[in-house]
Amino acid sequence: MGAAEPLLSVLWVKRQRCAVSLDPARALLRWWPSPGPGAGVPGEDACSLPVAEIITVEETDRHGKHYGGGGKWQKMETPFAFTVHCVKRARRHRWKCAQVTFCGADEQLCHLWLHTLQEQLDNLTCRPKHLLVFINPFGGKGRGKRIYERKVAPLFALAAITAEVIVTERANHAKEALYEADLDKYDGIVCVGGDGMFSEVLHGLVGSTQRSAGVDQNEPRAALVPSQLRIGIIPAGSTDCVCYSTVGTSDAETSALHIIVGDSLAMDVSSVHHNGTLLRYSVSLLGYGFYGDIIRDSEKKRWMGLIRYDFSGVKTFLSHHCYEGTVSFLPAQHTVGSPRDGKPCRAGCFVCRQSKQQLEEEQKRSLYGLDSSEEVEEWKVVCGKFLAINSANMSCACPRSPRGLSPAAHLGDGSCDLILIRKCSRFNFLRFLVRHTNQCDQFDFTFVEVYRVKRFQFVSKQADEEEGKQGLGPICSQHASCCCTAASSSWNCDGEVLHSPALEVRVHCQLVRLFARGIEGSPTPEPCH
């Protein structure tokens, strides 16, 4: 049989006689009940399984021992069998590892199926074979190592993926290791931990890639080189915002299966500079004012554990500080979406695909002088007193806020959503915050402005004299609804504190790729496993 020829046989599945077909052209495995002597026609009860979602296929012992799940077939009249390990979709975007065992009386037929399915899997060149894994043993609730050993390592072994595991011992351990490692021998990098661990791996991978390409990361206008390696995230932190926003769940087994099947998702990265020096890269939230004060205050209370974020949040809300400054931004005219169009980023996102194409065309025109470049494009300037200035590269969704800070922000459209919350009463600000937990439009307030931008700058009114100053002022007790104008805040950059209130931010379109496919928009009917 040729590699591209369909295969159709009558086999047994769960003691039921079924017609089983494999269509290599469509890369689809199907089976349906077939009570008669022939294969019959597939009906509504037919089950389908894409070859791309098969983890592995193995031969079942002819004496009845099922290597994967301990199935007993000694009393069956069909002693030859093979088991397909595959992805099964569960509720709320979760994936599970499932098994389907096919039995037949003909040993050669079973071997033909084994050989054909394995041949199909071998053609999937996007799948990783050797990974570099970093485990943060301290993040979240300290469960990283246990999660990897119990939930992830067995799946990697099943899929014949080898892994070099490094348990980090200090801050920036992973980043330093990536600068020194020979990355050519790996098919991807996996981080086990929270958003902080992912950020560390991101900085190491992006930094080592730029160094190899001879790119100066401290130059704000430098065109950064995308890395060829993908990053896999095994969530084991306190919020796991990046994982939740790209997969739709914070489930370790789901993330491991996305890595195994070789999914790929391109994602924007923002570079954050101050006075010609790179401070950090950001992929989710860059927040000044409210979120900056929270992260700055919570850093002093690490002894409280995860509850420190709630405590600092309440304290910051009661302080109700606003900050005066100037925001300058370059609108993202290449994007085909807007922050309030109600179109969230989903798997196979049209907005990300089209925006990237238009951005590339725009850059080509600028290169050949056929259109205006960034030097002559029109910057917009907004001045005033702000309770918060937020930049979201993604929705920033998490279990507490399922829609996120900017529900329609896109992962790979070369832009970020710049959200400006002007001075307002405590009550109105509370109304704004509450809307992050429900289905209401959080931008539908007169004191809230949102823009889709590709670059922006911020300068505090007192940046020169107050830069780096920390601490919260006293809670104003004169008026319940007043705003106390404070000197300067800090920036919350993906959960890390940046003390400089004057920043320059630029979005780099689809700079890194993840082992993910984006949140699948509509529920897919579950196959009959």
Side-chain angles (χ1 to χ4, degrees), residues 147-159 260:
I147 286 175
Y148 179 79
E149 292 174 348
R150 294 185 180 181
K151 295 185 177 182
V152 180
L155 290 174
F156 282 178
L158 180 66
I260 289 170

Side-chain angles (χ1 to χ4, degrees), residues 34-114:
S34 178
V41 179
E44 295 181 356
D45 53 353
C47 298
S48 299
L49 177 64
V51 172
E53 295 182 4
I54 295 177
I55 300 169
T56 190
V57 57
E58 64 179 1
E59 184 177 6
T60 297
D61 194 314
R62 62 175 296 172
H63 299 293
K65 182 180 179 181
H66 178 199
Y67 299 134
K72 297 181 179 179
W73 300 96
Q74 292 92 335
K75 297 182 180 179
M76 297 288 291
E77 296 178 359
T78 53
F80 306 104
F82 60 94
T83 296
V84 174
H85 299 265
C86 58
V87 169
K88 177 183 178 180
R89 284 170 171 75
R91 297 178 59 191
R92 299 178 180 177
H93 306 290
R94 291 164 70 99
W95 283 11
K96 299 294 181 183
C97 180
Q99 298 81 34
V100 186
T101 298
F102 300 88
C103 301
D106 190 336
E107 182 178 12
Q108 290 186 345
L109 180 62
C110 285
H111 284 168
L112 174 62
W113 273 96
L114 269 170

